[in-house]
Every structure is written in structure tokens, then in C-alpha cells.
Amino acid sequence: MATVHSATYQLLRQQGINKIFGNPGSNELPFLKDFPEDFEYILGLHEGVVMGIADGYALSSGEPAMVNLHAAAGTGNAMGALTNAWYSHSPLVVTAGQQARSLMGVESMLSNVDATQLPRPLVKWSYEPSWHGDVPRAISQAIHMATQPARGPVYVSIPHDDWQQEVEDDALLLADRDVATAGMPSTAQLTKLADRLNNAVNPVLVLGPDIDAYHANALAVQLAEKIAAPVWVAPSAPRCPFPTRHACFRGTLPAAVAGVSAKLAGHDLIIVIGAPVFRYHQHAPGRYLPEGAELVQLTCDLQEASRAPMGDALVGDISGMLSALLTATQQTQRSMPVALPVPAPAPDVTEGPLTPEIIFDELNTLAPDDAIYVKESTSTVTAFWQRVEMRHQGSYFFPAAGGLGFGLPAAVGVQLAQPERQVIGVIGDGSANYAITALWTAAQYQIPVIFIILKNGTYGALRWFSRILDAEDSPGLDVPGLDFCAIARGYGVEAIEINSREQFQTEFQNALNAKGPVLLEIPTTTIEP
């Protein structure tokens, strides 16, 4: 007879899952025992890093990633990273080892008390099988739950003495299951939307991360060109859904109610596709919609559709809805928008730290055309979007919930998923320390990420908020005395401090040719977000 262990690995194998991201404890060892040769275990030194690496891998590959955490403590360590995975619709199958069943009731060491409640509300589904025979079915359900729209993380707690228990051969049927979603609005609903769009005088598109996640970028470009509409990226978007040098591209919307309304003023119809309405951040009260505007949201996420404070919504397959809308929409006679001007080259610095704009200009010139940027320098978001051209699917990842500690591990995970493309992590010095041990994983597995640390000695975005909130005298806003080169070398990563534009050009080119990870530490000035 099969065991829980063998049936689960066969299930994972058939579902195309052959990497396990984890940091093991005693509760997890029975699952890892006799680890199959056709699987790979990716070790992180902290569960938050493990979750971040898996998150990057799942986001970039579009496939589910298996995470193995250590009981309640390991789950708690990973919760910060789980907030980003939840809001980015990352298909993570998160498992955690539980104490042996006979010891759970007395709350022995490493018991995960009320395990299913621990990760909520940051998972789509949370479960602990009531007996060992249900474990393979629970893992199967977790995989399908994680991957169906709207994608998202799920959680399964598994007692460690379940793995060697025998199960009926019927458990092997789980490996051959296929679950698919075929949800689409009706023809009448799509026709009604197309009529609204055809009759609009000045429509605008607001695009979000699910355009990129479901590979609908080209469809979005075709729709924008057909209706000659300006295109904004939704506030706080963790992905780039539209080419940033296209004539229709207007930039990213500010993450404030008043700011969004001001940017969209003058438009009579706002079509939001693949994004929540909206992910605000700064408290700047105002009207949700500009005068005379209507809004329609196309989303794969029922929760996002339900919680929006204004407008109508259609819930369905992002690519399918876009394709149908493109077919039903008439070619407009309006003129195409005029492309935004490319920023002038950043001036050279003769002494002192470089500006972030210099680094972004150089990246735009030197990086491969299909480079992937994992960005976690929150104070430089605007400058980056203005100066770095992105036009390929899957070119940009950012922490969806704003939880720091995403950048370094996510860059490792994205590079694992995309070995043919160069991944460049652009990380602030404040952000980097939340998950610095990701450097060890990059070194041990020789994952050739280029880590660029912009070191301005302060939490730049927080400095900006301190002025907005009249709290500039707050403590804890600066992070002096950090030596990232020394830290990186301690973890086995080649590292160089950069102090001039010419040195960056040389060392960045060397990093592109390296076989393993390289860290470039760059003292920089601070800029406004």
C-alpha cells in the first residue's frame, strides 16, 4: 500500500511541483525523509526569507510553489511575507509541521494550537486534516485552491506522525485530477460594457497586476490603441502591466483618494482591469471619482469587486474578458495620446554620493532588454518608473502589501523561475535588512542575481511621510553604520562598493557576466517618493 508520504510526493510530481522551499524543524523531518531525487529543496535561513523566495518563484513562473514551515513559530516568522503574497495573488501552497497527534491535546512543545486560525485572514483556505488518510486529499485541495482565480496562498497543518501511515490506493487518483475555471461574464454583460466604452467621449484605462499575471499585456496594448485611451497603472501596483514607453502610458496613479481623482479628472469612463479599486496608502481625503465620471472594474477577484467603494464590476477571466471586449469595441476616430517625454539624462555628480536617477539611467542603458526588476526601494518608485523602460511581460515585481523584506528573497525566487533572464534587485538599505539572509541562499545555490543596494542611510519613504504627518522629530528614521559589502561577503556573495558612474558601468557589466550572485552597494542621495 501507498503511504501518506509516497502518495503526496506522487501528487506533487504530477502537478508539476518539484521544488520545496523551507527551513526544517523536527516536525518537518518525517516529510523530508527519503527526499526524492527528482525534487529540489531550497533552504532559507529564516521563514520570512523562505516565503519571500517562494513568493518570487510563484509570481514569476505562474505556477504553485510548495512552502514547508516549522510549526507555529515558523508560521509566525513567515507572516510578514505572507501579507505580500496575499495581496499579489501568489499561488503558494504553505504547509507546516504539526506535533504528533497524541501530543497535540496537551500542548506539548511545538504544538500548533488552533493551527488553522494562525495564518488567517492572509490565506484563501486553512486546514488541518482530522486523520492521516485525509492528508493527500488536503494537499490536492490546497493546490487547486491556490491556483484557481483569484490565486492566493493556502495553508495546511500536518501532524508529523501522519507521513509514514498507510493509505488506500485510491489516494493515488488525486494525482491525475485537473481543476479549471471557465468563468466569463455573459454576452449581454460584455455587450453592455462595450456599448459604454464605444459611447464614451474620453475614456481612460487603469491597469493592474493581474494583466501581467495572466499574460494579457498584449491584449491591453491592443485595447488602448483601438480606443486611443491614456493608460495609468493602478496605485501601489506590484507588477508592470503595460509598456512604459508606449504613447498611451501616463505613469502610475498616486496611492491617495484625492490624488487618483485629480489624475483622472476630465474622463467620463474609467475602465479598471486586473486591479483593486483602489489600493490607497496616503490619507488624503477627497472624492472617489472626478465629476462626471463612471467606473467599471474587470477583475478575477470577487473580494476586490465586492469591497470597491464605487463603480460597477465584472468578475471573470482577465484574458478572456479583455479579448471579448477588444472584439466588441469599435475602432475610435480619436487621436492617439502624445507620448510622455523621456526624462533628461541625470546630471553627473562630481563629488559625494550618486543620485538614484543616475543609477536608473545607467540600468536603462546597460541592462538586457528583457531584464526583470525586483524593486524594494520605496522612496525611488516614481523616478524608477520614469527612467527605466519595461516592455516585456513579467519585468517588474514590488511588495504588494508594502511589507518590507520582499526584495532580496523575491529576487532569488524570480531568478530561480527565470534562469534565461537577468534578475536585478533594486533594494533600499532600510528594506534589505529585513531579509538579508537571502544572500546566503543565493550564494549556496549560485543563483546569479544582481543585487543593487541604494544606501542613503535613512528610511526615505518614512522621511517623506514624517513631513506629510508633521512628525519629523520621530525617532528611528535613520539607519547609519551599515556595511553591505562586508555582510554580503560573510554570506559568500561577491560585493563591491560603487562611488562613481564609471565604476558602476564597469562593475555592472562584470556582474552581468558573473556565474553567481553579485551585490553592488551604492551610497546615494535621498529623493522624494
Side-chain angles (χ1 to χ4, degrees), residues 338-364:
V338 177
L340 295 176
V342 176
D348 283 327
V349 174
T350 55
E351 60 181 26
L354 298 176
T355 65
E357 291 90 343
I358 288 175
I359 303 305
F360 299 155
D361 283 353
E362 292 299 330
L363 283 176
N364 196 50

Side-chain angles (χ1 to χ4, degrees), residues 174-509:
L174 294 164
D176 296 323
R177 295 195 71 226
D178 180 52
V179 177
T181 300
M184 279 282 290
S186 68
T187 301
Q189 289 171 319
L190 286 167
T191 299
K192 181 180 178 181
L193 174 58
D195 288 343
R196 292 176 71 175
L197 192 52
N198 290 332
N199 293 324
V201 175
N202 188 18
V204 61
L205 300 180
V206 179
L207 306 182
D210 285 330
I211 292 283
D212 192 58
Y214 290 98
H215 296 245
N217 311 62
L219 290 171
V221 170
Q222 293 175 54
L223 180 61
E225 292 176 347
K226 192 171 187 180
I227 64 175
V231 172
W232 288 92
V233 173
S236 309
R239 304 178 74 142
C240 178
F242 199 82
T244 58
R245 290 287 188 264
H246 192 281
C248 293
F249 181 72
R250 300 294 96 177
T252 58
L253 287 173
V257 173
V260 169
S261 188
K263 291 291 187 182
L264 299 180
H267 295 288
D268 58 336
L269 182 62
I270 302 164
I271 305 292
V272 181
I273 309 175
V277 178
F278 286 110
R279 286 281 285 163
Y280 304 114
H281 184 191
Q282 180 191 352
H283 180 59
R287 294 175 57 94
Y288 281 123
L289 283 176
E291 188 71 30
E294 297 180 348
L295 183 146
V296 181
Q297 177 192 24
L298 306 184
T299 178
C300 63
D301 190 331
L302 177 60
Q303 291 192 49
E304 289 183 355
S306 301
R307 69 172 181 258
M310 71 288 202
D312 303 323
L314 291 176
V315 181
D317 178 80
I318 292 293
S319 295
M321 288 191 292
L322 250 180
S323 181
L325 185 60
L326 182 63
T327 300
T329 302
Q330 298 171 0
Q331 178 69 50
T332 186
Q333 299 303 309
R334 288 185 295 269
S335 299
M336 282 284 286
V338 177
L340 295 176
V342 176
D348 283 327
V349 174
T350 55
E351 60 181 26
L354 298 176
T355 65
E357 291 90 343
I358 288 175
I359 303 305
F360 299 155
D361 283 353
E362 292 299 330
L363 283 176
N364 196 50
T365 299
L366 300 173
D369 179 65
D370 64 347
I372 301 174
Y373 297 96
V374 178
K375 180 79 165 51
E376 198 180 29
S377 170
T378 54
S379 65
T380 63
V381 170
T382 299
F384 182 87
W385 279 81
Q386 289 173 341
R387 293 179 177 273
V388 178
E389 181 178 5
M390 295 176 286
R391 56 190 179 91
H392 294 278
Q393 187 276 332
S395 291
Y396 177 83
F397 298 94
F398 187 83
L404 298 184
F406 171 84
L408 285 176
V412 174
V414 173
Q415 188 70 83
L416 272 171
Q418 302 291 341
E420 303 305 316
R421 297 174 67 179
Q422 179 64 61
V423 174
I424 302 167
V426 181
I427 320 293
D429 51 351
S431 304
N433 282 287
Y434 284 79
I436 196 68
T437 62
L439 295 175
W440 180 89
T441 303
Q444 290 295 312
Y445 293 87
Q446 283 296 284
I447 301 168
V449 182
I450 300 175
F451 301 104
I452 296 176
I453 306 295
L454 303 179
K455 189 172 80 169
N456 59 21
T458 189
Y459 291 112
L462 201 56
R463 276 286 176 198
W464 179 77
F465 265 107
S466 75
R467 293 191 290 275
I468 297 296
L469 299 173
D470 192 25
E472 292 183 77
D473 59 348
S474 300
L477 304 185
D478 296 324
V479 284
L482 294 170
D483 186 341
F484 286 96
C485 287
I487 295 170
R489 292 174 189 133
Y491 283 121
V493 173
E494 180 185 353
I496 304 99
E497 181 175 288
I498 304 296
N499 291 294
S500 71
R501 185 194 289 261
E502 293 73 23
Q503 186 187 12
F504 178 81
Q505 294 168 346
T506 299
E507 296 299 346
F508 183 78
Q509 190 62 55

Side-chain angles (χ1 to χ4, degrees), residues 95-115:
T95 60
Q98 172 66 290
Q99 182 55 277
R101 289 188 180 272
S102 62
L103 295 176
M104 289 165 56
V106 297
E107 296 189 16
S108 62
M109 185 76 74
L110 301 181
S111 291
N112 191 349
V113 179
D114 208 358

